[in-house]
Amino acid sequence: MDFKIRFATSEDLEDMLELIQELAVYENEPDAVQVTLEDLYRYGFGEEAIYKCFVAEVDSKVMGMALFYSRFSTWKGETVHLEDLIVTKPMRGKSLGKALFESVIMYAKTRKIKRVEWVVLDWNTNAIDFYEKYGATVFKEWRTVQLGEDQINNLN
């Protein structure tokens, strides 16, 4: 199967949002997506752009994406955080995820970035196995910590 990996453009936003919603369903959080097309535009292509995204295109249709952004580590310097690697269900197992993931790694490599990091759900054994094939370390002792909108707004 032929596919193309390229940087996303603003014309891809609807497809990207569909993929994000598909991921939310897969992760048993179908009502969790609050991001809008406007948000995706503003933070990916507007003056306040903070993320980059590779897309996998099959027959002129976006079928996968890898959304990532720069972070700063006090130990390593600039790092890349892979927020989401998503391939639509009918295209899984056809090397799109591998090509997207390797595009992010090559992006980091060409910029001499010392770490790429991401979060994976403990029950997503297919993803864990995929990442471990690259030699990734899946930490068991680190915990993801978040404050939600309500907690942020409750700060006096």
Side-chain angles (χ1 to χ4, degrees):
M1 179 186 58
D2 290 333
F3 61 87
K4 177 171 129 180
I5 303 298
R6 60 173 173 78
F7 275 109
T9 68
S10 60
E11 288 79 32
D12 299 317
L13 293 175
E14 288 183 13
D15 292 329
M16 291 167 57
L17 186 55
E18 284 180 25
L19 286 165
I20 292 165
Q21 290 166 333
E22 183 176 337
L23 178 65
V25 170
Y26 175 76
E27 292 183 352
N28 301 313
E29 296 280 349
D31 300 319
V33 177
Q34 295 179 353
V35 73
T36 65
L37 288 172
E38 293 77 21
D39 295 329
L40 289 172
Y41 179 82
R42 177 180 178 186
Y43 296 112
F45 304 96
E47 290 180 24
E48 300 177 68
I50 57 174
Y51 74 82
K52 296 187 183 317
C53 186
F54 286 112
V55 293
E57 191 177 65
V58 179
D59 297 326
S60 301
K61 169 78 173 150
V62 172
M63 303 300 275
M65 63 183 260
L67 191 144
F68 60 99
Y69 52 89
S70 291
R71 291 175 60 179
F72 187 82
S73 164
T74 55
W75 292 4
K76 302 289 183 187
E78 184 181 4
T79 67
V80 166
H81 181 82
L82 174 59
E83 181 64 22
D84 282 318
L85 175 62
I86 311 165
V87 175
T88 191
K89 189 174 184 175
M91 291 291 120
R92 291 184 194 145
K94 300 183 187 313
S95 298
L96 273 72
K98 179 181 188 296
L100 286 163
F101 186 64
E102 289 178 2
S103 294
V104 174
I105 295 169
M106 289 306 298
Y107 174 90
K109 183 177 180 178
T110 60
R111 284 154 184 76
K112 299 186 181 348
I113 290 172
K114 296 179 179 74
R115 181 169 66 204
V116 178
E117 58 192 357
W118 61 96
V119 177
V120 62
L121 290 166
D122 61 358
W123 57 261
N124 193 344
T125 55
N126 288 338
I128 292 168
D129 292 345
F130 172 80
Y131 296 134
E132 286 179 338
K133 286 179 186 172
Y134 284 88
T137 302
V138 180
F139 293 100
K140 308 237 185 299
E141 63 275 8
W142 287 85
R143 302 281 192 232
T144 300
V145 181
Q146 298 177 337
L147 287 176
E149 184 178 13
D150 290 343
Q151 293 84 10
I152 293 167
N153 290 332
N154 285 336
L155 183 66
N156 294 327

